Amino acid sequence: MAYQKIVSSGAVYKGKTGMWLYIFHRITGVALFGYLILHIISTALILLGPEVYEGAEAIYKNFYFRIAEIGLMAAILAHAINGLRIIAVDLWKRGSEFQKQLNIISLVLFIGIFIPSTYKMTTSYFDLCLEKSKPGTTLTDCMIRPLPDWKTE
């Protein structure tokens, strides 16, 4: 009876950083698994013929898909860095003593890699769009319509 009261008393972690990182790591893991399934399905569309595959590939030329790719990159990066933090805490004798510092290092690493990567992914999209579009195309045009087909030239 006493154990039942302990179990039903609420969260063990009480909302500290470790609990949120635990939850975040699980969410990014499930999201990456979902992406992997979608990627396999998308690649398997080639079996239905080139027209079906090319139709699906046209979706990838959209600016909003590039934003989703940035989200994917953020999930991969956060999941990987947090995984390395978990390895450090679990395998290093004094890892649990330095959790706060490891959290800060993880955050700094994430921001240090995420910001330049996001900038490169965004600018490369616009550079390609402006290069392959008609003269007079604006950045807004690149956001509204898909990229022109770069395979034909």
Side-chain angles (χ1 to χ4, degrees), residues 126-145:
F126 287 123
D127 291 345
L128 182 63
C129 179
L130 294 173
E131 176 187 326
K132 299 296 180 182
S133 296
K134 297 174 187 168
T137 301
T138 64
L139 293 179
T140 306
D141 294 333
C142 291
M143 292 172 65
I144 293 172
R145 1 176 254 263

Side-chain angles (χ1 to χ4, degrees), residues 113-132:
I113 297 171
F114 178 73
I115 290 174
S117 299
T118 301
Y119 176 78
K120 180 64 177 165
M121 289 175 76
T122 307
T123 56
S124 68
Y125 175 87
F126 287 123
D127 291 345
L128 182 63
C129 179
L130 294 173
E131 176 187 326
K132 299 296 180 182

Side-chain angles (χ1 to χ4, degrees), residues 33-65:
F33 180 71
Y35 167 77
L36 180 63
I37 290 172
L38 287 173
H39 180 68
I40 290 169
I41 291 169
S42 174
T43 305
L45 289 176
I46 193 72
L47 299 173
L48 300 175
E51 300 83 21
V52 175
Y53 182 75
E54 292 291 330
E57 190 181 79
I59 295 170
Y60 307 145
K61 297 177 185 177
N62 189 314
F63 173 72
Y64 300 104
F65 190 81

